[in-house]
Amino acid sequence: MKIIFFLFLFLSLTQPDAVFGQGNDREWPAYGGDPGGMRHAALSHITPDNVNQLKVAWTYRTGELEYYRNNDAAEKAAFEATPLMVEGVLYLSTPSNRVIALDAVSGAEKWTFDPKVNLKEDYSEITSRGVSTWPGPDVVGNNLERRIYLATIDGRMISLSAATGKPISDFGKKGTIDLRKGIGPISVTSPPAIIGNTLITGTSMGDNQRLNYERGVVRAYDVLTGKLKWSWDPIPRAAGDPARATWIGKKAAQTGAANAWSILSVDPERDLVFIPTTSPSPDYYGGERIGKNEYANSIVALRASTGELVWHFQTVHHDLWDYDNAAQPALINVERNGLKLPAVAVGTKMGHIFILHRETGKPLFRVEERPVPRSEVPGEQAYPTQPFPILPRPVGPQHISVADAWGLTEVEREIAENRIASLRNEGPFTPPSLQGTMVTPSNAGGVHWGGVTYDPERKLLITNINRLVAVVRLIPREKLKEEEGKNEALLRAETGLQEGTPYVLKRDYLFARNESGLQMQTKPPWGTLLAIDMNSGELKWEVPLGFMYDPQTYPEAVNWGSINFGGALTTAGGLTFVAASLDGFFRAFDTETGELLWQNQLPASGQSTPMSYQIDKKQYVVISAGGHGKLGTPLGDYVVAYALE
């Protein structure tokens, strides 16, 4: 046994850090740069010393806004795509799922493909975070043409020729797989993962309107033919599955979702795919699914070739807070006791960052189960404990009190105090209640879908987070109209019908709405960028990210941070690039210190994640800038590339 253990440690120690790119042209062949989603460019042409010379190299407009005429798409649209760059060509997708190929040096359009998605359907959101390409670096001896894979919000998987943008006729049926067949009206908002000749995809769906949502299955297809290879359901249905005992109740088998809507990561050397699963439906009431609900709200490692379960680690037991695993799991190497170990870094909405061994799922930094508050809602049984990482320490606010109330005026601060005092508020994992509960952090993070990036030279894990508090209230179904009649704020709050349960959800946030926009009710900062030293697990620095109030009127607003969506990019040159904030700036920070070194106003806000590549010794940094309908930022249709003059 000891021999096996030391052999395992030796093999782990000798595994190299993941790198991407070949020859003189440094590419960005996957959503996260490499298949494991480190989002790090091993490029050093742009540095802290010269980043202030960064200028716009080219701008491309997708024409997307024309597609929002005569429908309500603009209210739900967000340009969240991260382009790929392989063989001198950029490939990206728009919110309406059009695919565009651009010359990576000039930004000139090479081709476009329109899948003709019906934007009048009732989608939860209208977005696409990007496309995938095959063959990958782990495919040897292939002489077939390069392909681009698009997953759509109307539930299709499409294979395109990278050269022409035309569908590959021998994939599925004339280039398309119907992902809704046998499942129901699911969407896909993230690019599929590709490992060898296997294409793996999760699904997206709304999850607050009813109990019996569609199954959140993860499916794998042959990359050439589109033939189904395997499927895996995050809600255990088989009688022999030991996790099934953690789903209790007559309606437990009707539960849907627990789907993986975010980015999947793959480890080709280990034949593993890492699945970030989400909350079962509905998000805020689990009385029909009492128990731990294993596989939901988990990081699940599957054998990529077969779909066999290898290990799982649950980040939230019996989710009642919409604490989806929204971030792509980042495959990194960390050093513990002098050994380099393969790890999975998991950033969560709760502000918890779990560092797990990639081959076993065991925490590499200590995690402990702690008691959490009980539910007072009839029919509900909140799980008595939750996992808390000791290191890295939770990021973002973990508890808000009346002392944290904030307002621009004394009257506004008092209104915030009274609101906070009226809510159930017992710290992390306080369950939803009939009186109203503060959920800290909110379902928007903590760490959100923007995820984490890892600088392997500096051993720093970088992430941007929200410091936003949600307010949730459950209302007995028969009393909904009566309660809305008493409280005008309930009418404005988001409604989740949660059909199949006794309660309707009302969700809002700790801000007020007035003529000037959002009035935040908790102390700033409301969004930050931070770095964690992966050798020690300790926070190295944290700085405000962006602003939400006009600095000309409120000079201190530059220190207040902004609600943000979209991720960061690190480079070997020692820079961290990030947009994400509501103010519409694209920024570069010193990765070592967090110092802001450069910023540039985008033509529309960049609720997306940037990427970088190098051609002919020139490094480019590219970001999609199209705004966000649900956040209320002005929409645009820009792809902007930056380079040194």
Side-chain angles (χ1 to χ4, degrees):
M1 195 68 170
K2 289 183 178 180
I3 294 175
I4 294 174
F5 175 72
F6 283 112
L7 177 60
F8 163 74
L9 288 181
F10 173 77
L11 291 173
S12 299
L13 180 63
T14 57
Q15 290 294 331
D17 282 343
V19 295
F20 65 91
Q22 301 291 330
N24 294 324
D25 291 355
R26 300 298 186 92
E27 300 183 332
W28 191 271
Y31 171 87
D34 65 279
M38 281 204 306
R39 295 217 307 259
H40 177 78
L43 306 174
S44 55
H45 185 59
I46 304 170
T47 69
D49 293 332
N50 62 25
V51 69
N52 59 355
Q53 301 170 35
L54 208 58
K55 303 292 182 184
V56 175
W58 53 259
T59 299
Y60 173 82
R61 300 198 67 175
T62 69
E64 182 74 358
L65 300 188
E66 290 297 316
Y67 288 76
Y68 302 158
R69 296 183 184 275
N70 303 317
N71 57 52
D72 298 327
E75 298 175 5
K76 298 181 179 180
F79 193 10
E80 298 176 342
T82 297
L84 308 184
M85 197 289 279
V86 288
E87 299 169 345
V89 181
L90 283 177
Y91 301 94
L92 63 113
S93 54
T94 69
S96 66
N97 291 134
R98 291 183 301 122
V99 182
I100 300 171
L102 305 175
D103 182 275
V105 174
S106 67
E109 182 182 293
K110 299 179 76 71
W111 56 256
T112 66
F113 169 78
D114 185 358
K116 300 189 184 305
V117 170
N118 179 9
L119 295 181
K120 293 184 178 181
E121 279 194 34
D122 185 21
Y123 303 108
S124 176
E125 56 186 344
I126 296 174
T127 193
S128 173
R129 295 183 187 91
V131 296
S132 300
T133 185
W134 178 92
D138 58 321
V139 177
V140 180
N142 166 69
N143 59 1
L144 297 176
E145 68 172 315
R146 178 169 294 280
R147 303 180 181 203
I148 302 297
Y149 291 88
L150 167 72
T152 68
I153 55 175
D154 62 359
R156 289 177 283 165
M157 182 73 70
I158 302 172
S159 177
L160 304 173
S161 163
T164 67
K166 305 293 185 184
I168 302 289
S169 60
D170 55 358
F171 177 83
K173 185 177 181 180
K174 297 182 180 180
T176 299
I177 299 171
D178 181 0
L179 298 176
R180 291 182 169 184
K181 186 176 181 180
I183 300 294
I186 54 91
S187 294
V188 186
T189 54
S190 295
I194 296 180
I195 178 169
N197 290 335
T198 300
L199 184 75
I200 307 172
T201 184
T203 58
S204 177
M205 61 190 74
D207 45 16
N208 276 326
Q209 298 306 318
R210 65 182 195 272
L211 168 71
N212 59 338
Y213 265 97
E214 289 73 29
R215 294 183 298 128
V217 292
V218 176
R219 287 169 287 179
Y221 297 90
D222 184 281
V223 78
L224 298 177
T225 67
K227 183 179 179 180
L228 181 68
K229 288 188 170 183
W230 54 259
S231 65
W232 178 79
D233 193 332
I235 299 179
R237 316 279 179 178
D241 193 322
R244 187 173 176 180
T246 67
W247 298 73
I248 302 166
K250 292 180 179 180
K251 293 184 179 179
Q254 299 177 28
T255 304
N259 50 302
W261 58 260
S262 189
I263 314 295
L264 314 183
S265 293
V266 296
D267 184 337
E269 291 184 6
R270 294 174 173 83
D271 187 29
L272 293 176
V273 57
F274 299 89
I275 314 293
T277 65
T278 64
S279 171
S281 59
D283 289 334
Y284 292 94
Y285 179 74
E288 315 297 347
R289 50 173 173 86
I290 297 299
K292 204 173 186 180
N293 303 152
E294 287 187 357
Y295 303 157
N297 300 90
S298 298
I299 300 301
V300 179
L302 302 180
R303 189 71 59 202
S305 56
T306 64
E308 172 195 2
L309 178 70
V310 178
W311 59 259
H312 71 283
F313 177 88
Q314 192 170 50
T315 57
V316 181
H317 311 319
H318 189 69
D319 187 9
L320 302 175
W321 305 271
D322 193 15
Y323 279 159
D324 295 350
N325 282 305
Q328 179 182 17
L331 307 190
I332 66 175
N333 289 328
V334 300
E335 292 188 10
R336 300 294 289 152
N337 301 318
L339 297 174
K340 183 183 288 186
L341 301 175
V344 183
V346 182
T348 71
K349 292 181 179 182
M350 304 86 73
H352 296 173
I353 297 174
F354 298 96
I355 310 299
L356 311 175
H357 197 291
R358 202 181 308 170
E359 294 176 344
T360 67
K362 302 298 182 184
L364 294 177
F365 292 89
R366 190 161 66 91
V367 174
E368 67 179 23
E369 289 282 330
R370 295 178 184 169
V372 292
R374 296 168 57 91
S375 175
E376 297 172 351
V377 173
E380 182 61 270
Q381 292 183 34
Y383 203 76
T385 63
Q386 293 290 346
F388 287 78
I390 305 304
L391 287 174
R393 292 181 176 85
V395 297
Q398 298 294 302
H399 188 272
I400 294 294
S401 71
V402 170
D404 296 301
W406 186 88
L408 289 171
T409 68
E410 184 64 21
V411 171
E412 290 174 343
R413 187 186 63 78
E414 288 179 0
I415 291 172
E417 282 186 349
N418 292 335
R419 189 178 186 194
I420 291 171
S422 71
L423 299 168
R424 186 178 180 193
N425 177 25
E426 298 173 36
F429 299 103
T430 302
S433 62
L434 303 185
Q435 76 180 80
T437 290
M438 284 177 49
V439 179
T440 311
S442 77
N443 60 297
V447 182
H448 46 69
W449 69 261
V452 303
T453 179
Y454 183 63
D455 185 325
E457 290 90 4
R458 295 164 182 83
K459 310 300 182 187
L460 292 177
L461 190 79
I462 310 289
T463 186
N464 48 300
I465 67 169
N466 284 319
R467 301 171 61 90
L468 186 63
V469 180
V471 177
V472 299
R473 181 179 172 188
L474 298 181
I475 300 174
R477 191 170 304 281
E478 67 278 6
K479 295 184 178 181
L480 177 62
K481 289 184 179 180
E482 175 187 345
E483 292 296 319
E484 287 181 333
K486 295 180 191 174
N487 188 339
E488 186 178 341
L490 281 180
L491 285 171
R492 294 194 302 267
E494 179 184 358
T495 301
L497 292 177
Q498 300 193 138
E499 292 178 351
T501 77
Y503 302 100
V504 174
L505 163 73
K506 285 289 185 174
R507 180 173 67 188
D508 205 347
Y509 299 88
L510 273 183
F511 51 64
R513 300 173 178 86
N514 53 35
E515 303 77 26
S516 59
L518 297 183
Q519 169 60 56
M520 303 303 291
Q521 294 182 314
T522 54
K523 290 179 180 178
W526 304 298
T528 61
L529 181 73
L530 58 90
I532 296 171
D533 185 326
M534 279 293 95
N535 287 332
S536 66
E538 298 286 357
L539 181 71
K540 184 169 185 179
W541 54 257
E542 184 170 10
V543 297
L545 177 61
F547 54 83
M548 294 170 61
Y549 290 81
D550 185 356
Q552 292 186 346
T553 305
Y554 307 102
E556 282 299 304
V558 295
N559 299 316
W560 293 350
S562 170
I563 296 170
N564 58 90
F565 288 98
L569 158 76
T570 58
T571 71
L575 293 168
T576 297
F577 290 92
V578 63
S581 57
L582 302 189
D583 55 48
F585 278 92
F586 190 29
R587 296 179 168 90
F589 296 81
D590 187 307
T591 300
E592 287 280 4
T593 66
E595 179 185 0
L596 176 63
L597 301 175
W598 170 87
Q599 60 183 7
N600 181 260
Q601 181 74 60
L602 292 164
S605 62
Q607 273 73 57
S608 61
T609 302
M611 49 83 78
S612 186
Y613 56 90
Q614 183 171 308
I615 294 181
D616 296 331
K617 298 183 179 180
K618 190 170 189 176
Q619 182 181 354
Y620 297 81
V621 180
V622 176
I623 188 166
S624 300
H628 196 294
K630 287 185 176 181
L631 291 178
T633 58
L635 297 186
D637 59 358
Y638 302 89
V639 181
V640 187
Y642 294 86
L644 297 177
E645 290 184 309

